[in-house]
């Protein structure tokens, strides 16, 4: 199991050299502490996955972390060493704006929370509310800023857009407004966030793009804004960029720093100082990607992340910077040509660079840009400043760096949101490939074949002796010293094909190749042109079985907004982009179909259907197009339009155009389509029927083209809600079965396999979760035992149905799958608690009798009982719970008894399950000594009796 926290939203790095933890809050609604030495999770708290659990703010004071969540409704304090909850308090409803720690006379005692219409002050020690005050004129005024610096008052700033500012001053002791409301005219100001900041002794600094100037105003003494033109400092804004101000207040009981950063363009920052009414320019940063402030003791430093410029000889520095600046404005942020970055520290007071504080790191492997920078500063023994940096890149990777550029650890947080997953067999070893090659090529004559066989046998012998030597060598070492490191070079298929390559696609557009037995990330690839919210479909076009052709995977990426798609073709074992050029998709793709036909290089053919119902084949060689023409009459596909409630079926014509063959309309004003589930293409069915108690056979209705369509009612009233299920033939559009579950609602989880469908829903009348199982049978006689055709099925199958009560909600559901389908099927059910329950399909059998008869006992049918119990011994992941499980993936292995399982959500967990026990493997406690001694004894006894029989025959002959 591997655990993740997700993309960082807030992070706090302790400012001491020996500190061992960093406290983080993430976009996945997780509060956690990471070990700063190794990057492991020390503790983690996962809140609800809905917006209710979203963390709005995090403040750190000493050993406590204060978080505001659920849109400002819940205030919590965590003990950061062990992750315990100190206290929790609920706040009044209202739109949350900002939270801040408040100090009084050198002690930080309170936390202030600013809402849209009220401000409240709470004790840090227990969370009790000290006072709450209503904000005057909150209907028209947007209160967005809060400031205090240990003087016994809290300043609250509100804005009436394009009119004026309101400055309120509250007393910390009793919450009374100590001064009347100050109105400051600011007709150019629309919002305070990012545009305004407080520096020095309560001086508000705002930036205005239109007039190219800064406005300053003291919150305590002045009542109007003072304008300072930026041209006086020779500074210019980039066109169309909203400038930002970044200030810092190292301690809440003392004033803010008078220095602040002004961001003029995506990659241009200036360090300015406003002191005693004068604005001065300290330093300009032309090519900065990110900036950050950090404080240790009395020293405050600014960290700046820039490109490591490798200037070509003869080009001047200024020209180089200017050209990069123009390019970066087009791309909206800094991109380095060589993917190498520097972090430098500058003293805030003077803007001068601190010597020996450069960290250099490279992001060439991922190609992603840095997105956030957090600094941990500490004073060394000689009073110089040392630091470590935490960098988060746009592909959600965390890197913890120390001087001069050593990566202490890195975490791939994009794996917290896996969206698609496939398992690919590992390649053969050199020796196995040699043997494969022997059979795959045309005969080179008798002598040639014989010599080849000899050479391959020698290679095998060599590999075996090397393996024996390694075993002998490792046996002499202690177990802790034996390193079984897995890397791309020594990857090879094991005897029973239990180790596989897991190819994972994450929501951020990053692909991973993970070795299944150890969880080692062997390769990663970042697709930069993928936008947030895109959907992905991963398909294996060629497996490792076709040596010497490399395996090939194709990823279809569909943009959410433009609906346009592109294909990315790569080698799943090494992660390298394939040499094969995929077709350029000019129209939005509606459906994909992986056909069983192959081109001359053994790659399966992928059909892509666009919104004009035209078909693109990939690969599109002459051989493939000829095969497509031959079998076009038997290629059908379906399209689902959930918005219009329409399912339509199309068939392929010889010229690769399509024609509509059927259409089913589900009225959208009554119900909407939730899911459409087909069967898995790699599924094998071993037995065609079930032997009943009277020795007759009940044949299964095995329709490979069957679709299960689930609908939900649009009316959400608990008396009128319902769930509909339709079983539709994907070739003819014939509705084979339809049923309605009244007073039921989703979310619906469904598994469709062999001749059965299991789905789970919430019963609103009985207020419980229920399973319904449908099984389809042809009857005691088969219509056509040799071939199946959807076009020739005059008799509808018999549908058996039964429902069961399940005592828990579920997060994900999948059925086990094996190589030949002999092993009995189990349902793997992911529970919200993080456990995975392995439930035998026999418990969800619609033929379970209410009153057992002789025949049902003969058939081993369990008597019907409406509730399905959750037994803890059926959990396949014991204590390795998976937080916020989103899906379960199953794959067959080389052993018929074994099914490989991967569960993913916030964590990733991989294991093996044995639904029918390990019937094809000898047990661990198998008594080899006894069996061997019995065999030896029998052989010895045979030899003795043979000798005795010969003597007896000889004696008889002499008589």
């Amino acid at each position: 199991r591997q655990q993740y926290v997700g993309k960082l939203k807030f992070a706090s790095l302790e400012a001491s050299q020996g500190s061992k933890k960093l406290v983080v809050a993430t976009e996945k609604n997780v509060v956690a502490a990471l070990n700063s030495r190794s990057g492991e999770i020390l503790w983690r708290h996962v809140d609800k996955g809905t917006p209710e659990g979203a963390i709005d703010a995090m403040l750190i004071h000493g050993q406590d972390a204060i978080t505001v969540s659920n849109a400002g409704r819940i205030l919590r304090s965590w003990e950061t060493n062990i992750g315990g909850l100190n206290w929790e308090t609920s706040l009044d409803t209202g739109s949350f704006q900002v939270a801040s720690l408040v100090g009084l006379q050198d002690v930080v005692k309170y936390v202030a929370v600013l809402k849209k219409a009220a401000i409240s002050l709470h004790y840090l020690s227990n969370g009790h509310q000290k006072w709450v005050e209503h904000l005057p004129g909150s209907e028209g005024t947007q209160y967005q800023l809060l400031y205090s610096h240990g003087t016994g008052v809290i300043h609250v700033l509100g804005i009436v857009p394009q009119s004026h500012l309101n400055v309120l001053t509250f007393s910390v002791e009793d919450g009374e407004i100590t001064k009347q409301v100050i109105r400051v005219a600011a007709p150019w100001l629309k919002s305070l966030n990012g545009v305004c900041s407080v520096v020095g002794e309560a001086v508000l600094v705002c930036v205005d793009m239109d007039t190219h100037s800064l406005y300053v105003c003291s919150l305590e003494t002045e009542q109007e804004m003072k304008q300072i033109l930026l041209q006086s400092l020779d500074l210019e804004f980039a066109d169309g960029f909203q400038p930002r101000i970044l200030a810092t207040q190292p301690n809440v009981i003392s004033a803010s720093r008078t220095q602040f950063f002004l961001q003029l363009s995506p990659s241009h920052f200036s360090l300015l100082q406003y002191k005693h009414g004068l604005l001065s320019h300290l330093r300009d940063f032309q090519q900065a990607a990110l900036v950050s402030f950090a404080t240790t003791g009395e020293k405050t430093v600014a960290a700046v992340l820039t490109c490591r410029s490798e200037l070509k000889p003869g080009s001047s520095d200024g020209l180089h910077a200017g050209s990069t600046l123009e390019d970066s404005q087009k791309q909206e942020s800094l991109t380095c040509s060589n993917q190498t970055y520097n972090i430098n520290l500058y003293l805030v007071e003077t803007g001068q660079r601190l010597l020996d504080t450069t960290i250099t790191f490279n992001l060439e492997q991922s190609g992603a840009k840095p997105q956030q920078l957090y600094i941990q500063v500490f004073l060394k023994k000689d009073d110089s400043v040392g630091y470590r940096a935490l960098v988060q890149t746009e592909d959600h990777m965390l890197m913890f760096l120390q001087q001069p550029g050593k990566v202490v650890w890195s975490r791939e947080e994009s794996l917290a949101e896996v969206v698609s997953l496939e398992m690919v067999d590992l390649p053969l070893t050199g020796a196995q490939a040699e043997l494969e090659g022997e059979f795959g090529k045309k005969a080179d004559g008798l002598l040639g074949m014989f010599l080849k066989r000899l050479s391959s046998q020698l290679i095998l012998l060599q590999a075996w002796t090397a393996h024996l030597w390694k075993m002998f060598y490792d046996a002499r070492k202690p177990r802790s010293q034996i390193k079984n490191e897995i890397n791309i070079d020594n990857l090879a298929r094991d005897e029973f094909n239990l180790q596989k390559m897991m190819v994972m696609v994450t929501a951020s557009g990053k692909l991973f190749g993970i070795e299944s037995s150890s969880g080692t990330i062997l390769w990663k690839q970042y697709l930069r042109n993928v936008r947030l919210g895109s959907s992905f479909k991963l398909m294996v076009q060629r497996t490792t079985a076709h040596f010497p052709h490399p395996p090939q995977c194709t990823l279809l990426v569909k943009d959410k907004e433009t609906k346009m798609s592109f294909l990315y073709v790569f080698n799943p074992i090494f992660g390298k982009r394939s040499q094969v050029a995929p077709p350029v998709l000019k129209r939005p793709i509606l459906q994909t179909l992986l056909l069983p036909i192959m081109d001359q290089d053994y790659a399966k053919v992928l059909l892509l259907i666009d919104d004009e119902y035209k078909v693109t084949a990939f690969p599109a060689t002459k051989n493939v197009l000829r095969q497509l023409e031959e079998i076009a009459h038997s290629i059908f596909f379906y399209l689902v339009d959930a918005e219009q409630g329409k399912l339509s079926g199309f068939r392929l014509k010889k010229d690769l155009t399509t024609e509509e063959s059927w259409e089913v309309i589900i009225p959208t004003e009554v119900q909407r389509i939730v899911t459409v589930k087909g069967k898995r293409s790699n599924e094998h069915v071993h037995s065609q029927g079930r032997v009943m108690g009277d020795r007759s056979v009940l044949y299964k209705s095995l329709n490979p083209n069957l679709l299960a369509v689930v609908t939900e009612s649009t009316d959400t009233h608990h008396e009128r809600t319902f769930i509909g299920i339709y079983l539709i033939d994907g070739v003819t559009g014939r509705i084979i079965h339809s049923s309605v579950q009244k007073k039921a609602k989703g979310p619906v989880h469904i598994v469709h396999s062999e001749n059965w469908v299991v789905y789970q829903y919430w019963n609103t009348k009985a207020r419980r979760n229920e399973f319904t199982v449908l099984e389809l049978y042809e009857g005691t006689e088969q219509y056509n035992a040799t071939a199946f055709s959807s076009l020739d099925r005059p008799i509808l199958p018999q549908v058996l149905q039964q429902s069961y009560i399940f005592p828990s909600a579920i997060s994900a559901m999948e059925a086990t799958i094996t190589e030949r389908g002999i092993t009995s099927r189990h349902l793997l059910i992911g529970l919200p608690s993080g456990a995975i329950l392995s439930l035998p399909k026999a418990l969800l059998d619609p033929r379970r009798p209410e009153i057992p008869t002789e025949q049902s006992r003969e058939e081993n049918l369990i008597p019907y009982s409406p509730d399905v119990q959750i037994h803890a011994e059926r959990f396949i992941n014991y204590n390795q719970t998976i937080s916020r499980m989103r899906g379960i993936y199953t794959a067959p292995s080389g052993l018929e008894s074994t099914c490989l399982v991967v569960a993913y959500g916030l964590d990733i967990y991989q294991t093996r399950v044995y639904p029918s026990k390990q019937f094809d493997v000898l047990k661990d406690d198998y008594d080899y000594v006894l069996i061997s001694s019995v065999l030896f004894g029998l052989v010895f006894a045979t030899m003795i009796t043979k000798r005795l029989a010969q003597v007896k025959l000889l004696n008889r002959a002499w008589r």
Side-chain angles (χ1 to χ4, degrees):
R1 178 181 67 163
Q2 292 178 348
Q3 294 185 301
Y4 299 96
V5 293
K7 185 186 177 185
L8 297 197
K9 209 173 184 179
F10 310 101
S12 164
L13 286 70
E14 291 178 359
S16 65
Q17 191 169 0
S19 81
K20 289 184 183 174
K21 65 178 179 298
L22 4 148
V23 182
V24 298
T26 73
E27 290 184 2
K28 289 275 172 197
N29 310 349
V30 173
V31 182
L34 304 178
N35 183 336
S36 61
R37 309 270 171 89
S38 63
E40 289 170 1
I41 297 173
L42 296 172
W43 54 263
R44 180 181 77 165
H45 291 288
V46 183
D47 210 334
K48 293 175 187 167
T50 55
E52 285 181 12
I55 297 161
D56 304 301
M58 182 172 85
L59 308 164
I60 302 285
H61 176 248
Q63 296 299 321
D64 293 343
I66 316 294
T67 58
V68 182
S69 53
N70 190 359
R73 289 200 186 121
I74 295 175
L75 186 67
R76 293 188 178 104
S77 167
W78 307 94
E79 206 286 324
T80 57
N81 286 324
I82 55 168
L85 183 67
N86 292 330
W87 49 262
E88 173 182 283
T89 181
S90 56
L91 308 175
D92 299 334
T93 54
S95 172
F96 171 76
Q97 299 296 329
V98 68
S100 167
L101 297 170
V102 177
L104 194 63
Q105 297 156 352
D106 302 344
V107 186
V108 181
K109 283 186 178 177
Y110 312 106
V111 58
V113 179
L114 177 67
K115 296 282 189 76
K116 187 176 185 292
I119 177 173
S120 58
L121 197 72
H122 300 261
Y123 288 99
L124 264 181
S125 54
N126 53 18
H128 292 329
Q129 187 174 294
K130 184 175 170 76
W131 51 260
V132 60
E133 288 295 327
H134 185 74
L135 300 171
S138 60
E139 289 80 29
T141 314
Q142 299 170 14
Y143 290 96
Q144 293 175 337
L145 261 179
L146 187 69
Y147 183 74
S148 78
H149 57 108
T151 53
V153 291
I154 301 171
H155 299 293
V156 175
L157 277 76
I159 176 180
V160 177
Q162 299 184 318
S163 172
H164 63 270
L165 281 170
N166 282 350
V167 183
L168 309 177
T169 308
F170 291 92
S171 158
V172 172
E173 282 302 324
D174 51 13
E176 283 190 14
I177 297 180
T178 54
K179 285 157 72 175
Q180 81 259 35
V181 178
I182 302 173
R183 282 175 64 122
V184 181
W188 45 270
L189 202 54
K190 295 183 185 119
S191 167
L192 294 173
N193 292 335
V195 181
C196 295
S197 236
V198 182
V199 301
E201 296 275 347
V203 177
L204 181 72
V205 179
C206 292
V207 60
D208 179 30
M209 194 173 90
D210 302 328
T211 58
H212 289 265
S213 51
L214 287 176
Y215 288 85
V216 290
C217 163
S218 171
L219 299 178
E220 289 171 353
T221 56
E222 298 172 345
Q223 293 201 8
E224 61 179 48
M225 290 261 186
K226 190 171 85 177
Q227 184 179 9
I228 302 168
L229 286 169
L230 283 176
Q231 284 165 344
S232 59
L233 301 172
D234 293 336
L235 294 175
E236 272 296 312
F237 290 142
D239 293 337
F241 178 74
Q242 178 61 55
R244 286 167 59 232
I245 287 182
L246 291 111
T248 180
Q249 184 182 9
N251 200 337
V252 289
I253 49 178
S254 56
S256 292
R257 290 281 176 190
T258 52
Q259 299 83 11
F260 59 94
F261 271 114
L262 173 64
Q263 186 176 9
L264 301 151
S265 87
S267 58
H268 185 187
F269 291 83
S270 268
L271 185 61
L272 306 175
Q273 173 171 298
Y274 183 78
K275 208 169 187 179
H276 310 309
L278 288 171
L279 184 72
S280 53
H281 184 202
L282 299 177
R283 192 171 184 129
D284 210 31
F285 300 101
Q286 283 279 3
Q287 263 188 292
L290 298 165
V291 294
S292 175
F293 284 112
T295 304
T296 173
E298 294 300 308
K299 278 189 184 174
T300 299
V301 291
V304 181
L305 189 142
T306 56
C307 273
R308 186 182 185 187
S309 50
E310 293 181 2
L311 293 181
K312 290 164 190 156
S315 72
S316 74
D317 200 325
L319 276 172
H320 184 269
S323 65
T324 312
L325 200 63
E326 281 168 29
D327 294 345
S328 65
Q329 278 173 25
K330 287 175 203 159
Q331 294 178 357
E332 302 221 337
S333 66
L334 190 72
T335 310
C336 292
S337 53
N338 54 1
Q339 289 290 332
T340 309
Y341 297 86
N342 279 353
I343 303 173
N344 284 302
L345 288 195
Y346 298 84
L347 206 59
V348 165
E349 285 83 6
T350 59
Q352 86 189 69
R353 190 164 81 86
L354 295 169
L355 297 172
D356 302 326
T357 59
T358 306
I359 285 182
T360 306
F361 64 98
N362 191 307
L363 290 175
E364 209 162 345
Q365 200 181 0
S366 68
K369 291 179 288 203
Q371 216 173 35
Q372 277 172 305
L373 173 68
Y374 303 96
I375 298 292
Q376 178 185 34
V377 194
F378 48 83
L379 286 174
K380 295 181 183 170
K381 287 175 184 171
D382 57 357
D383 237 21
S384 63
V385 176
Y387 75 110
R388 297 189 191 97
L390 180 68
V391 177
Q392 178 167 273
T393 58
E394 61 184 348
D395 60 354
H396 306 182
M397 182 173 83
L398 291 180
M399 290 172 80
F400 196 59
L401 307 153
Q402 68 180 33
Q403 294 161 270
K406 183 190 169 199
V407 179
V408 184
W409 50 262
S410 66
R411 287 180 66 87
E412 291 290 352
E413 288 304 334
S414 62
L415 283 168
E417 36 189 1
V418 173
V419 287
S420 188
L421 158 68
E422 282 290 342
M423 274 186 158
V424 182
D425 294 352
L426 291 179
L428 302 165
T429 59
Q432 290 167 329
E434 191 71 31
L435 272 177
E436 286 285 325
E438 192 178 317
F439 299 110
K441 290 169 189 166
K442 294 271 189 294
D444 307 332
L446 194 64
L447 188 67
M449 289 287 280
F450 179 66
L451 289 171
K452 198 154 195 213
R453 167 58 64 94
L454 274 179
S455 68
S456 58
Q457 293 292 346
L458 278 170
I459 290 168
L460 281 171
L461 185 68
Q462 203 177 343
W464 185 65
T465 48
H467 174 68
L468 279 181
W469 174 248
K470 186 180 180 297
M471 276 174 64
F472 173 69
Y473 190 72
D474 284 348
R476 295 159 57 192
K477 285 185 188 173
R479 194 169 256 184
S480 58
Q481 286 180 21
I482 300 170
K483 285 183 183 172
N484 283 335
E485 283 184 4
I486 292 170
N487 56 37
I488 279 193
D489 305 323
N490 64 14
L491 265 188
R493 197 180 304 180
D494 60 304
E495 215 169 325
F496 298 122
N497 201 3
L498 296 168
Q499 279 172 273
K500 299 210 179 204
M501 176 69 82
M502 302 193 290
V503 181
M504 295 193 179
V505 185
T506 61
S508 64
K510 196 164 186 182
L511 283 82
F512 291 91
I514 300 177
E515 199 277 325
S516 65
S517 63
S518 63
T520 315
I521 296 173
L522 297 174
W523 59 263
K524 49 195 173 193
Q525 193 71 39
Y526 179 54
L527 307 179
R528 294 190 59 168
N529 46 355
V530 173
R531 287 220 293 235
L532 212 63
S534 299
S535 52
F536 301 88
K537 187 168 183 184
L538 183 64
M539 293 151 287
V540 182
Q541 274 192 292
R542 182 169 53 224
T543 62
T544 47
H546 305 287
F547 180 83
H549 299 291
Q552 180 178 312
C553 273
T554 302
L555 178 69
L556 177 73
V557 183
K558 187 173 181 179
D559 194 291
K560 192 180 179 181
E561 289 161 24
T562 63
K563 303 284 187 238
M564 294 307 284
S565 310
F566 70 89
L567 289 174
Y568 177 75
V569 186
F570 62 99
N571 180 330
I573 301 298
F574 301 108
K576 291 188 180 122
R577 193 171 188 152
S578 175
Q579 306 294 327
V580 183
V584 178
L585 309 173
K586 295 188 174 69
R587 307 280 322 163
I589 297 296
L590 300 180
Q591 178 69 288
T592 60
L593 202 60
L594 200 62
L595 297 180
I597 62 170
M598 295 182 179
D599 69 350
Q600 63 272 23
D601 293 337
Y602 304 102
K604 283 185 181 173
V605 177
L606 179 67
L607 289 190
L608 304 151
I609 296 98
D610 63 25
D611 61 346
E612 290 180 343
Y613 309 125
K614 288 191 179 139
V615 174
T616 310
F618 168 62
T621 58
K622 283 183 184 172
N623 177 13
V624 165
L625 295 172
R626 184 178 50 75
Q627 287 187 68
L628 275 176
E629 266 185 43
E630 286 171 12
I631 65 158
H633 62 89
S634 64
I635 295 176
F636 294 81
F637 58 89
Y638 69 93
L639 297 176
V640 183
D641 187 344
E643 286 172 17
Q644 295 178 13
K646 190 167 86 168
L647 280 114
S648 42
F650 291 82
R651 56 181 278 262
L652 191 68
K653 289 157 82 174
K654 288 194 174 183
D655 57 352
L656 288 194
T657 56
T658 58
E659 68 172 348
E660 191 171 346
S661 55
W662 58 268
E663 187 177 81
V664 174
I665 304 279
I666 289 169
T668 48
E669 58 274 10
V670 182
Q671 55 191 347
R672 56 191 171 86
I673 298 171
V674 189
T675 30
V676 177
K677 189 91 183 238
K679 293 180 184 177
R680 287 175 65 162
S681 56
N682 60 342
E683 181 177 274
H684 291 278
V685 181
H686 182 254
S687 58
Q688 290 193 344
R690 290 177 61 165
V691 180
M692 296 199 291
D694 59 359
R695 295 291 182 268
S696 62
V697 176
L698 187 61
Y699 288 102
K700 296 175 183 176
S701 170
L702 300 168
N703 183 347
N705 311 316
L706 197 64
L707 304 173
V709 181
V710 180
T711 63
E712 259 186 67
S713 61
T714 44
D715 190 341
T716 52
H717 187 273
H718 67 90
E719 284 290 322
R720 295 189 291 274
T721 59
F722 66 85
I723 276 169
I725 181 138
Y726 300 87
L727 300 182
I728 298 176
D729 191 307
V731 171
T732 59
R734 187 181 188 190
I735 298 177
I736 285 165
H737 173 73
S738 67
S739 67
V740 170
Q741 223 83 33
K742 288 181 181 171
K743 295 179 184 170
K745 65 173 196 168
V748 179
H749 295 273
I750 183 165
V751 171
H752 184 189
S753 175
E754 289 193 19
N755 66 323
W756 50 267
V757 176
V758 172
Y759 58 101
Q760 180 263 359
Y761 52 89
W762 172 257
N763 183 330
T764 53
K765 185 183 179 185
R767 302 180 64 79
R768 65 191 181 200
N769 289 284
E770 290 182 1
F771 272 123
T772 293
V773 57
L774 302 172
E775 279 193 12
L776 287 82
Y777 291 99
E778 278 191 37
T780 50
E781 285 182 18
Q782 263 182 310
Y783 176 69
N784 185 341
T786 50
F788 179 87
S789 169
S790 285
L791 302 167
D792 177 30
R793 287 275 131 177
I795 308 156
L796 279 175
Q798 304 169 13
V799 180
L800 306 177
Q801 179 172 344
Q802 224 169 42
S803 293
Y804 296 89
I805 302 162
F806 193 65
S808 161
I810 71 172
S811 317
M813 185 160 72
E814 189 54 85
T816 58
I817 183 169
T818 53
E819 191 89 0
R820 305 245 175 262
I822 299 168
T823 308
S824 58
R825 306 298 285 269
H826 275 211
L827 279 177
L828 301 173
I829 300 166
L831 306 178
S833 63
I836 304 172
L837 177 75
S838 181
L839 191 70
K841 169 64 182 62
L843 288 175
L844 301 177
D845 187 341
R847 297 185 61 247
R848 281 176 63 177
E850 287 183 37
I851 300 153
T853 60
E854 194 59 46
Q855 284 196 1
S856 68
R857 285 196 199 97
E858 185 82 20
E859 224 180 305
N860 283 336
L861 288 176
I862 308 161
Y864 178 71
S865 138
D867 52 340
V868 176
Q869 303 280 317
I870 293 180
H871 294 297
E873 64 268 20
R874 286 201 180 126
F875 291 152
I876 60 170
N877 55 341
Y878 313 110
N879 61 343
Q880 308 273 318
T881 53
I882 299 121
S883 289
R884 227 177 280 155
M885 202 183 309
R886 273 198 322 280
I888 298 172
Y889 176 88
T890 54
S893 69
L895 284 171
E896 174 53 36
S897 63
T898 308
C899 169
L900 306 174
V901 178
V902 185
Y904 55 91
L906 199 58
D907 307 330
I908 295 173
Y909 174 74
Q910 196 269 340
T911 189
R912 301 172 196 163
V913 289
Y914 315 103
S916 301
K917 305 274 174 48
Q918 285 183 286
F919 59 81
D920 49 3
V921 177
L922 291 175
K923 289 192 177 71
D924 291 340
D925 58 353
Y926 184 76
D927 203 335
Y928 292 97
V929 179
L930 179 69
I931 296 291
S932 309
S933 52
V934 167
L935 277 174
F936 277 123
L938 286 170
V939 169
F940 195 61
T942 313
M943 286 161 71
I944 292 170
T945 48
K946 189 180 174 186
R947 177 75 187 134
L948 289 171
Q950 281 175 343
V951 170
K952 192 175 180 183
L953 278 170
L954 191 64
N955 290 340
R956 192 183 291 166
W958 274 109
R959 278 185 203 150

